[in-house]
Amino acid sequence: MKIWIDADACPRVVKEILFRASSRLQVPLCLVANRSMAKHGGPLVETVVVADGFDVADDFIAENAAPTDLVVTADVPLAARIVAKGGVALDPRGERYTEESIGDRLAMRDLLSELRDSGMIQGGGPAPFCLSDRNRFASALDSLLHQMLRGRRQP
């Protein structure tokens, strides 16, 4: 089992929660981004800097993550790829992407993108990250990691 982080847009507080969970549970963690990041200590933390380009980091994660891994991303198309492989994906606000929910999430993303492109709506994007988002993520992560680790240890 490994934790993959789509690190370019992941809030720092979420990364810190993930580093602590990785250390506490002894689960390897890999940050993937298309730009250099501050070094993170610990033998379980790996950083991969991929080339600049559209979806290069997403492609790297999708190609390398195993179904037994956890991917943390706000990128709905990447999450859809992970779920299609039978993997587990969680957004930085604590919502798990599932086979049942990913189609609706993709459709909503596409609709909002079309509305923005046509000028029917202005702005967009997620609301600012807040304390309740952090708490929801930490709780969902803890529950999910323990569930995944129990599943890995079962015969």
Side-chain angles (χ1 to χ4, degrees):
M1 179 182 172
K2 187 177 208 175
I3 301 168
W4 295 86
I5 304 173
D6 184 5
D8 284 324
C10 187
R12 177 177 291 153
V13 67
V14 169
K15 290 178 200 169
E16 294 300 328
I17 291 167
L18 288 160
F19 295 145
R20 286 192 301 273
S22 167
S23 177
R24 184 179 74 249
L25 299 172
Q26 293 296 291
V27 175
L29 181 146
C30 183
L31 296 129
V32 181
N34 60 14
R35 58 185 160 77
S36 287
M37 295 172 282
K39 296 291 181 199
H40 300 281
L44 296 172
V45 178
E46 173 187 6
T47 300
V48 175
V49 179
V50 298
D52 257 348
F54 189 69
D55 288 342
V56 177
D58 297 349
D59 291 343
F60 184 88
I61 293 169
E63 292 165 9
N64 289 284
T68 56
D69 295 344
L70 170 63
V71 175
V72 177
T73 183
D75 187 277
V76 178
L78 171 58
R81 292 168 69 184
I82 298 302
V83 170
K85 285 177 55 172
V88 179
L90 184 67
D91 84 358
R93 294 175 190 266
E95 185 176 338
R96 183 173 175 181
Y97 299 96
T98 65
E99 289 181 11
E100 294 78 23
S101 69
I102 200 69
D104 289 341
R105 299 273 306 256
L106 279 169
M108 181 60 73
R109 175 193 171 274
D110 292 344
L111 173 65
L112 291 174
S113 179
E114 286 179 32
L115 291 172
R116 276 191 297 277
D117 291 347
S118 68
M120 296 190 72
I121 61 173
Q122 300 295 317
F129 198 79
C130 64
L131 180 61
S132 63
D133 294 323
R134 182 189 69 81
N135 291 341
R136 191 171 36 257
F137 176 79
S139 177
L141 176 69
D142 187 60
S143 175
L144 189 54
L145 285 175
H146 281 91
Q147 176 186 349
M148 292 174 77
L149 288 169
R150 276 192 309 273
R152 183 177 72 178
R153 291 186 188 125
Q154 291 177 351

